[in-house]
Amino acid sequence: MGGAVSAGEDNDELIDNLKEAQYIRTELVEQAFRAVDRADYYLEEFKDNAYKDLAWKHGNIHLSAPCIYSEVMEALDLQPGLSFLNLGSGTGYLSSMVGLILGPFGVNHGVELHSDVIEYAKQKLDFFIKTSDSFDKFEFCEPSFVTGNCLEISPDCTQYDRVYCGAGVQKEHEDYMKNLLKVGGILVMPLEEKLTKITRTGPSAWETKKILAVSFAPLIQPNHADSGKSRLVHLPPVAVRSLQDLARIAIRGTIKKIIHQETMSKTGNGLKNPPRFKRRRVRRRRMETIVFLDKEVFASRISNPSDDNNNSEDIEDERREEEETKPSELKPDPPVNFLREKVLSLPLPDPLKYYLLYYREK
């Protein structure tokens, strides 16, 4: 699946294309997509394809196309503080974007069949927390992943506000998926070759909406051949945050507010990032002339003999002229992690500073 939008040169350009095609329609979803670089979830040798609107699979590792994830994120209608369950959580790419919206008081759980993919997802999550400046722009609901078949979730598990299944659901498992939802919750899953949004409006009342045609690999059925018994999947408990952790969230939130107020007083506007400017790509077309003589038609190319020689020179001249005439003040400054700078400047012991920064590398 995929290929609905043009390939981007980087993550921001991919998101620009998804917005232009109306796959991304809300600011919250856009911010989450821009904050998590899709290429970081690819193996190094495949990163050239990261910004194409295509699915990617290597062994057990799988990523859906960006246009699919966009529709899923929009359909889930995520809000801070909600609980989320990702069935077939894979690389953790979607779970990380969801965690940015849920905030520190949400719940973010994932179930993945393959243990090697769980390890891969944990590595990618650790890399995001330690290296991405976007991590400091949000209060993050860190995903927790468990290994197992999502069709064998323990019946005494808690229900969730939002549920997504990343594999094709057979009709006989529809009710099973619905029962994972709280009243008022939203379930998004591929059902009968359609990405489907189901809202639980009451204890036994549902609203169903088909979003778009999709093609997903079907859910893998439980295999009880070894022991004859099912292996129940126990989801992570809903953890209560420690007082120390709550203090860190409060301190970081206060510092962010101060930074935002200082930025507003300096710039006089609410722009979080300077606008991006792209150089227009100029395509030259060779003109052809069609000549009519009596009842016969002749198509001939009429051009100046020097055109071919000067063509590459003209393009180079135009490119150089564009670069020279572009005002230097329009080029965005390198990003600065103001939160990190502010924390490091505080009159606090170093261990406390590092704790506030989640012990991230400088």
Side-chain angles (χ1 to χ4, degrees), residues 182-201:
K182 294 179 180 179
V183 174
I186 295 174
L187 164 66
V188 178
M189 62 181 179
L191 180 66
E192 297 182 319
E193 302 297 313
K194 295 286 193 301
L195 189 64
T196 305
K197 175 181 178 179
I198 298 176
T199 305
R200 187 169 194 171
T201 57

Side-chain angles (χ1 to χ4, degrees), residues 8 71 165 178 195-196 198 240 302 353:
E71 288 288 2
C165 182
K178 288 179 176 179
L195 189 64
T196 305
I198 298 176
V240 177
I302 300 178
K353 292 181 185 178

Side-chain angles (χ1 to χ4, degrees), residues 80-131:
L82 296 181
S83 57
F84 172 68
L85 176 62
N86 189 355
L87 304 176
S89 51
T91 65
Y93 172 63
L94 178 67
S95 293
S96 292
M97 291 193 292
V98 170
L100 296 173
I101 298 177
L102 297 183
F105 304 113
V107 175
N108 193 357
H109 293 163
V111 179
E112 169 57 44
L113 183 62
H114 304 287
S115 58
D116 60 325
V117 180
I118 291 277
E119 290 305 312
Y120 185 86
K122 289 179 178 178
Q123 292 172 14
K124 295 303 179 183
L125 175 62
D126 188 58
F127 179 81
F128 171 72
I129 291 174
K130 287 186 175 180
T131 64

Side-chain angles (χ1 to χ4, degrees), residues 18-31:
L18 291 168
K19 280 188 64 181
E20 185 177 354
Q22 289 295 300
Y23 284 100
I24 293 178
R25 300 179 289 277
T26 58
E27 185 179 357
L28 268 179
V29 173
E30 179 187 351
Q31 289 175 345

Side-chain angles (χ1 to χ4, degrees), residues 265-284:
S265 63
K266 289 178 182 179
T267 63
N269 59 57
L271 288 177
K272 297 179 183 178
N273 295 306
R276 301 173 69 244
F277 293 88
K278 301 177 186 176
R279 180 170 59 84
R280 288 184 61 192
R281 298 175 183 173
V282 180
R283 292 184 179 179
R284 287 178 164 266

Side-chain angles (χ1 to χ4, degrees), residues 33-49:
F33 266 86
R34 292 196 189 279
V36 183
D37 195 320
R38 182 175 167 89
D40 289 342
Y41 290 79
Y42 274 67
L43 292 170
E44 193 66 36
E45 59 267 34
F46 299 103
K47 285 190 175 183
D48 288 345
N49 296 319

Side-chain angles (χ1 to χ4, degrees), residues 203-221:
S204 57
W206 317 85
E207 288 182 358
T208 301
K209 178 184 178 182
K210 304 292 184 182
I211 301 174
L212 78 163
V214 293
S215 178
F216 277 67
L219 281 172
I220 295 177
Q221 303 300 308

